[in-house]
Amino acid sequence: MKVTPSLRNASVAGPSAALRERVRRPGYLKKLAQPSDLAPLFKANEAMHERIETEVERQIGWSGFTGVGYPKGTPTAIADHIENNNLQANPDTKKKFNLFVGASVGPEVEDRWARLDMIARRYPHQVGRDISKGINAGRINFADKHLSMFPQDLTYGYYSLKKNHGDPTKPLNWAIVEATAINEEGHIVPGASVGATPEILQSAEKIIIEVNTRIPNLEGLHDINHSWTPPYRQPYLISHPSDRIGTTAIAIDPERVVAIIESDKPDNTGENSPENEESRAIAAHLINFLSEEVQAGRLPKSLLPLQSGIGNVANSIIGGLADGPFEKVQVWTEVLQDTFIQFFDSGKLDFATATSIKFSPGGFDHFYKNWANYKDRLLLRSQQVANSPELIRRLGVIAMNTPLEVDIVCALCGIEMLNGLGGSADFLRNAKLSIMHTPSSRPTKDDPTGISCIVPFASHVDQTEHDLDVIVTEQGLADLRGLAPRERAPLIIQKCAHPDYKDILMDYYERSLHECLKRGAGHEPHMLRNALKFHTNFLEKGSMKVKSWD
Amino acid sequence: MKVTPSLRNASVAGPSAALRERVRRPGYLKKLAQPSDLAPLFKANEAMHERIETEVERQIGWSGFTGVGYPKGTPTAIADHIENNNLQANPDTKKKFNLFVGASVGPEVEDRWARLDMIARRYPHQVGRDISKGINAGRINFADKHLSMFPQDLTYGYYSLKKNHGDPTKPLNWAIVEATAINEEGHIVPGASVGATPEILQSAEKIIIEVNTRIPNLEGLHDINHSWTPPYRQPYLISHPSDRIGTTAIAIDPERVVAIIESDKPDNTGENSPENEESRAIAAHLINFLSEEVQAGRLPKSLLPLQSGIGNVANSIIGGLADGPFEKVQVWTEVLQDTFIQFFDSGKLDFATATSIKFSPGGFDHFYKNWANYKDRLLLRSQQVANSPELIRRLGVIAMNTPLEVDIVCALCGIEMLNGLGGSADFLRNAKLSIMHTPSSRPTKDDPTGISCIVPFASHVDQTEHDLDVIVTEQGLADLRGLAPRERAPLIIQKCAHPDYKDILMDYYERSLHECLKRGAGHEPHMLRNALKFHTNFLEKGSMKVKSWD
């Protein structure tokens, strides 16, 4: 790697004592830089080539997952540089990048890049008002991908089919990653997430490491394995959530490290979504169901490893388990929220593994302060392993996630683009128990139940009927195991729909059944002409309350 | 197991020489019976209980997969018994069973049971005119399930939540399975398929074994591993299609064997679907694409293990590979068709593994006659292993399957119920390359292109956009890797749609894009009010040729 003049001439203060303690490979300290010196290295100009896919040095990967463990300094400096020099106003200087991150990162970087129109592409998941706006306005090309698959597709070269600048064997021009330490070999100890960082580092020509000295050195928290591609891929030899198959740091080629910077910004997380009556009702139905499964002998007394999504229902469930009847519980999940601290502290959670810990600022304070209590009961893995179908299926995970809407034969979906499907499908498809929980309705500005989460026909399908065992709303729980579509539909309506929608949904189903049986196509009855009427009614009149099916 | 009087008194001729050679556990020969003596043992009467789920001895599992390796004698004798005694005419004597088979079986048994209205439930896949009619008429409860998951859900007890008769730990009352030999321990050597037979045997209170002495003894062809449930499940230690992890026979408890019968009927397979110009064009596009991937360094010269579906396109592809540029090819698939014999004989296919071999009668003759040439290059595994996400992902399988229709952002589907999704999702979700191939259109009785296989919005979604890399029709190939929905839609229309539909699809897409960008919801543009108009137009006017979108 030839160090560019702009970097060589950078005026950099000597490394701080904190940084010298964290960076145990002395050669790296010679590469110490300031983010503002690095910003001009990112040259990709929109007008340089006719087709955006072929522009130079457009491909950038960051560390980060669910808004933690992402680089803070360099992305901010690049945005500052662009803003201060007013580069986006002129097509000859405008910069747009293809941005690859395991999942979401802090809004102060991702949303800011979106506002500055610096993002040409973004894979495979995002969270933020401005990035969502950019995608829906057609300025950003986004595609969501199962989080277990994104890193492998990256290493396969599927996101760089048209890359024609730099090393053809490396899908990314740049990796910018956060570390909490660097070991003697120059390998990287991540922060509060692993995500796709190992594959992003493996895929990059040039690496910038942001060593965060504000967060404790988390060495030992991670289990990092090399990501082989076929035909060289081997079994993940894990049969219990606490099994280790890797090392404590991410191996990289030190020659590819362009710069080290010291960072002292915390992960910009918010407060957890507060529980409410609805989320507690859902959690109560669910814990009751799990108890019945234990009684019936279909689950062990300590359950099987749990996966739980993000949000207030997830908080209520995990909070409920902390007070619940199950002991020595194991967790195999994507991300841990604050209530897991409660669950650990209750003594009922034996061991948890995830790819990220997304605590609130107060949660992180507590966690880092009491690190000794948690460090032997927790492991962070890459998202390719945490979300691996191989492991989710082998361990018999109990998966609990939130959809946007559910149709009456159970295709699951979201209207518009929200955040992307994330890891939900990795878990739902492979879990021993696939559970979706949602409020039965959501408010519009005029009507507290203007949107029904149970609809005749989903307007976008991310998960299908073949991947779901149980649906829970605050109204009740529908156990769909072993049922055919004609049995599922009335059960979901009866148990899960909001009372405001029960009759209209049942009327849809009965008319559909009548029509479809008549023409000998009654397996999954629908009136296709009316199938999306909940949605068109909502678009036209602001409510899903369809007056009639005639 | 108490042998019932009706069986003990059965008048049975002594075992034939052929049978004695096949059954190496002498105790089993004392259980020799005639199918007609067994028929009255199947007592489940519809009127015996109020709810069909709770009826006695209703739960039956058969061996069989893609119409091979299924029991022929007992199911036929049960149907004969019912027909001869006119039992179905009277609610007090009418019999209806819940039938569980790994996938489809021969029409002479399954369709006949459906015609006689003997099937209350059927999971997880079926093929046959009469069974399909029964499902669509509402007489049969059918739900399709990923073929890798069906056997595990069976052993989890998910299909027997309401079983209240017999052993509560056994989901099935009866297993009726075909064998080509029985070893000294009483373990079962299957026929031309393994499918879900290990789990069906593991799940059954009582077992009937049909030893087929017409088919050769296939001992050594199978690799059978025990199906553990979590938390006791272990890694499948397979990293090459030829790796063995099991034994040559299915272990069972000999005490549960109720009867042995000798069977001499062949698997009732038909001829293979003939290739045509369209299927050859699809195969040519596909082989060309694979060659380009090898050139780009994204695939090794011998490719990666192939999975190929059933039908004429699959035949053209495998036939094309037999004449093609790739050497030492490996196959990891669900089922082998006749063209695989050609592929073996060409010397280019090194090793193949599947869960079933479904040859035509002539194909089977050739295969059994030349058994010595194939036996070391072929292994049959259970469908839980053959379709395992763990193994498909580890090996980096190249998966090629046929959908009924594809929408322009790539949700894949079938109108009405056809056969069920089978193993397609096991492969598509986990393959290194997920490829779907379909003709661009299909004929109606008046119009050779009355049905477009590329539609604006699928009327039923079995696979989503997140699981597909490539779509091929006879028109061309769309490589969707790394593309966002707004890029995918025009590419699919341009490369894959039939010329009769290109303009109308492009018009739909452009109007949708315009409308959705205007209201800031342009991620996956649709006019929901028109999204299903191809289908409603077809239902009303017999053609998908929509005149306008106004």
Side-chain angles (χ1 to χ4, degrees), chain B residues 13 15 46 59 82 98 115 138 175 189 201 205 217 232 276 315 339 369 381 386 395 423 458 526:
Chain B
E46 196 161 26
Q59 303 267 107
I82 282 173
N98 296 335
R115 277 197 307 278
V189 176
L201 284 165
E205 298 165 7
N217 178 347
Y232 306 110
N276 56 25
N315 272 326
T339 39
K369 214 171 281 167
R381 309 171 185 276
L395 297 172
H526 272 297

Side-chain angles (χ1 to χ4, degrees), chain A residues 430-493:
Chain A
N430 296 294
K432 176 170 179 184
L433 270 174
S434 300
I435 300 168
M436 276 284 190
H437 46 67
T438 172
S440 66
S441 68
R442 296 182 195 274
T444 59
K445 66 177 187 295
D446 307 320
D447 182 348
T449 60
I451 295 172
S452 175
C453 297
I454 311 291
V455 299
F457 195 100
S459 62
H460 172 86
V461 178
D462 278 335
Q463 323 278 353
T464 74
E465 68 200 76
H466 315 293
D467 293 324
L468 197 72
D469 296 315
V470 168
I471 296 182
V472 203
T473 68
E474 82 290 352
Q475 300 293 321
L477 181 147
D479 180 355
L480 307 170
R481 292 174 297 173
L483 298 185
R486 285 188 303 266
E487 298 168 301
R488 291 176 158 222
L491 188 69
I492 293 168
I493 297 169

Side-chain angles (χ1 to χ4, degrees), chain A residues 289-421:
Chain A
F289 170 77
L290 294 175
S291 302
E292 287 172 0
E293 285 299 291
V294 171
Q295 272 189 319
R298 283 186 293 268
L299 282 179
K301 275 183 194 164
S302 59
L303 303 178
L304 285 166
L306 298 175
Q307 178 263 338
S308 168
I310 291 189
N312 64 350
V313 176
N315 272 326
S316 288
I317 293 168
I318 301 304
L321 288 171
D323 301 329
F326 312 110
E327 308 277 347
K328 298 202 170 185
V329 176
Q330 307 288 319
V331 164
W332 181 280
T333 195
E334 202 177 276
V335 51
L336 302 179
Q337 297 186 106
D338 277 18
T339 38
F340 278 93
I341 298 179
Q342 226 177 294
F343 200 6
F344 271 125
D345 293 349
S346 74
K348 295 187 175 177
L349 171 53
D350 199 52
F351 197 91
T353 181
T355 194
S356 135
I357 39 181
K358 180 201 173 67
F359 295 147
S360 67
F364 268 126
D365 283 349
H366 176 94
F367 177 75
Y368 291 141
K369 214 171 284 169
N370 299 280
W371 175 231
N373 294 345
Y374 304 119
K375 72 180 177 50
D376 296 328
R377 295 197 280 161
L378 184 58
L379 262 190
L380 296 188
R381 310 170 184 277
S382 75
Q383 71 193 69
Q384 197 170 171
V385 175
N387 283 30
S388 156
E390 169 174 346
L391 296 169
I392 296 164
R393 197 166 288 202
R394 183 182 306 149
L395 297 172
V397 167
I398 298 172
M400 301 174 287
N401 288 282
T402 308
L404 269 195
E405 61 179 22
V406 178
D407 76 26
I408 56 177
V409 289
C410 279
L412 304 166
C413 92
I415 325 174
E416 280 184 39
M417 191 285 315
L418 210 74
N419 305 325
L421 85 165

Side-chain angles (χ1 to χ4, degrees), chain A residues 132-151:
Chain A
S132 170
K133 207 192 264 179
I135 293 164
N136 276 309
R139 290 192 305 273
I140 300 172
N141 274 317
F142 168 75
D144 43 350
K145 188 76 187 174
H146 309 295
L147 296 186
S148 70
M149 294 181 78
F150 162 70

Side-chain angles (χ1 to χ4, degrees), chain B residues 359-484:
Chain B
F359 295 146
S360 66
F364 268 126
D365 283 348
H366 176 94
F367 177 76
Y368 290 142
K369 214 171 281 167
N370 299 280
W371 175 231
N373 294 346
Y374 304 118
K375 74 180 176 49
D376 296 327
R377 295 198 282 161
L378 184 59
L379 263 190
L380 297 188
R381 309 171 185 276
S382 76
Q383 71 193 67
Q384 197 170 173
V385 175
N387 283 30
S388 156
E390 168 173 347
L391 297 168
I392 294 164
R393 195 167 289 202
R394 183 182 305 148
L395 297 172
V397 167
I398 300 172
M400 302 174 286
N401 289 281
T402 308
L404 268 195
E405 62 179 23
V406 178
D407 75 28
I408 56 178
V409 288
C410 280
L412 304 166
C413 91
I415 327 172
E416 278 184 38
M417 191 286 314
L418 210 73
N419 304 326
L421 85 166
S424 56
D426 293 323
F427 282 93
L428 278 175
R429 169 73 58 86
N430 296 294
K432 177 171 179 184
L433 270 175
S434 299
I435 300 167
M436 275 284 190
H437 47 67
T438 171
S440 67
S441 68
R442 296 180 196 275
T444 59
K445 64 177 189 295
D446 306 320
D447 182 348
T449 60
I451 296 172
S452 175
C453 297
I454 312 291
V455 298
F457 194 101
S459 62
H460 172 86
V461 178
D462 277 334
Q463 323 279 351
T464 75
E465 67 202 76
H466 315 293
D467 292 323
L468 196 72
D469 297 314
V470 168
I471 296 182
V472 204
T473 68
E474 81 291 350
Q475 301 291 323
L477 181 146
D479 180 355
L480 307 171
R481 292 175 297 172
L483 299 185

Side-chain angles (χ1 to χ4, degrees), chain A residues 22 46 71 134 161 248 310 336 395 419 530 533 539 550:
Chain A
R22 298 292 183 93
E46 195 160 28
L161 296 177
T248 56
I310 291 189
L336 302 179
L395 297 172
N419 305 325
N530 284 331
K533 204 168 169 184
L539 288 172
D550 291 328

Side-chain angles (χ1 to χ4, degrees), chain A residues 59-64 99-103 122-124 150-152 154-155 170-177 194-207 227 250 252 256 383:
Chain A
Q59 303 266 106
I60 302 183
W62 292 351
S63 63
L99 183 57
F100 302 89
V101 195
R122 176 69 173 91
Y123 296 150
F150 162 70
Q152 71 171 32
L154 179 70
T155 57
K170 297 281 179 216
L172 302 176
N173 303 110
W174 291 96
I176 312 177
V177 304
V194 181
T197 311
E199 291 83 1
I200 281 170
L201 285 165
Q202 174 181 341
S203 300
E205 297 166 8
K206 291 171 281 189
I207 296 169
S227 174
I250 305 171
I252 55 165
R256 287 194 277 122
Q383 71 193 69

